[in-house]
Amino acid sequence: MLGTRVDALRDLGSSHSWTLHRASLADGREVFVKAASGAAREDGPAGAGVFAAEAAGLRWLGEAGPGTPVPEVLAADDRMLVLPWLPSASPTPSAAERLGRELAALHTRARPRLYGAPWDGFIADLPLDNTPDERDWPRWYAERRLEPFLRLGARHLSSGDVRLVERVMEDIESLAGPPEPPSRIHGDLWSGNIVWTGDRAMLIDPAAHGGHRETDLAMMALFGTPHLERVLAAYDEAAPLADGWRARVPLHQLHPLLVHVALFGTSYRASLVDAARAALG
């Protein structure tokens, strides 16, 4: 795929339907490789779609302009995705502040016209409905993000839990805050998808689409991100957030929590219920 010999390959484990590797190339480059597992190649569940969506998302985010903190896609096909190897370092306050400024620039430059994206999306190896939509964000979020994953995860929830999330969807227009134009967002910005490289942070493994910029910030808070308050302060200084954005964090966390319920079952039920109650105020 890259036109050069692979001198060494180190296995880094597996995740969902793929395996992870670090490769040393004859031309001196170090690269990261995500490859479809044997089962994925045979069954073809997400396979090519996952890698195509990730590659499209990284390239699309990069189109926001110079300095966008995403790696270049070196190669992608039905079986694998190849990115530059990102050497990791401990997160620093200055790198966190830079991330806040760069994320603000990503969200506010070269905005898409519609919510959604012109490719089929995935989060982990679950399909995401990226159908572009001219309506405002609240209904798009309820119908393209909450409702499909509520159906997927319903077997792990009580009827009362389901009804609670349905109430959020019914009241979504009053809960969503002031209207926001679409932004290019990462879409799955938990701390594991942030690689700290020393003087900055790079964003990997996106579920990119035109969405609400508060979604990325809420995802960073869901499982904890180093120096998060510095990230948020730098972001808010560069691109001020609408009043009440902190109170809307649980609303934006409902989708990733529903994804986790669908993937991992009842261990995320309590967090989902707490977020739904908080979203309703």
Side-chain angles (χ1 to χ4, degrees):
M1 292 172 73
L2 298 179
T4 189
R5 187 180 69 248
V6 176
D7 282 346
L9 188 68
R10 178 184 171 193
D11 292 338
L12 303 175
S14 61
S15 178
H16 302 293
S17 300
W18 46 83
T19 57
L20 310 174
H21 313 268
R22 178 177 180 175
S24 302
L25 307 183
D27 61 12
R29 287 182 291 173
E30 297 284 316
V31 298
F32 171 78
V33 182
K34 180 184 284 188
S37 67
R41 286 196 298 270
E42 293 170 8
D43 300 337
V50 166
F51 301 137
E54 185 171 347
L58 286 169
R59 289 169 176 145
W60 183 73
L61 292 173
E63 291 170 4
T68 302
V70 294
E72 176 189 4
V73 177
L74 300 178
D77 67 9
D78 291 353
R79 299 173 298 110
M80 66 183 66
L81 174 75
V82 186
L83 307 174
W85 180 258
L86 300 175
S88 61
S90 297
T92 65
S94 61
E97 291 168 3
R98 180 174 177 178
L99 173 59
R101 294 190 296 271
E102 291 182 339
L103 191 60
L106 168 63
H107 287 167
T108 55
R109 290 190 309 210
R111 290 180 182 268
R113 189 174 67 86
L114 303 174
Y115 296 101
W119 61 82
D120 294 332
F122 288 88
I123 188 163
D125 49 9
L126 297 177
L128 277 175
D129 183 355
N130 275 345
T131 304
D133 200 317
E134 294 185 352
R135 292 176 300 171
D136 290 340
W137 177 79
R139 292 275 26 115
W140 185 89
Y141 180 64
E143 294 179 15
R144 310 289 187 196
R145 292 296 182 261
L146 298 184
E147 194 276 335
F149 288 90
L150 181 59
R151 280 190 281 109
L152 277 178
R155 66 188 186 278
H156 303 299
L157 302 171
S158 71
S159 59
D161 301 337
V162 171
R163 182 61 192 139
L164 191 63
V165 178
E166 289 175 340
R167 283 180 55 204
V168 174
M169 291 172 10
E170 290 165 3
D171 296 344
I172 190 83
E173 283 88 356
S174 65
L175 302 175
E180 281 266 353
S183 292
R184 294 181 193 238
I185 71 168
H186 180 283
D188 190 16
L189 197 53
W190 72 290
S191 59
N193 287 337
I194 302 172
V195 180
W196 301 90
T197 63
D199 63 342
R200 72 185 307 199
M202 299 292 284
L203 312 182
I204 61 169
D205 200 14
H209 62 279
H212 196 304
R213 62 195 183 115
E214 291 176 10
T215 295
D216 276 350
L217 306 182
M219 189 66 185
M220 294 173 71
L222 184 55
F223 301 118
T225 295
H227 305 297
L228 179 58
E229 286 304 316
R230 286 183 178 266
V231 176
L232 296 174
Y235 182 105
D236 194 35
E237 182 178 357
L241 292 154
D243 289 346
W245 69 269
R246 287 185 185 271
R248 293 186 292 274
V249 165
L251 174 65
H252 291 269
Q253 291 178 342
L254 277 180
H255 172 241
L257 286 169
L258 282 168
V259 171
H260 278 71
V261 169
L263 287 171
F264 306 115
T266 56
S267 57
Y268 285 93
R269 174 194 165 272
S271 296
L272 173 71
V273 169
D274 288 347
R277 287 176 175 154
L280 289 166

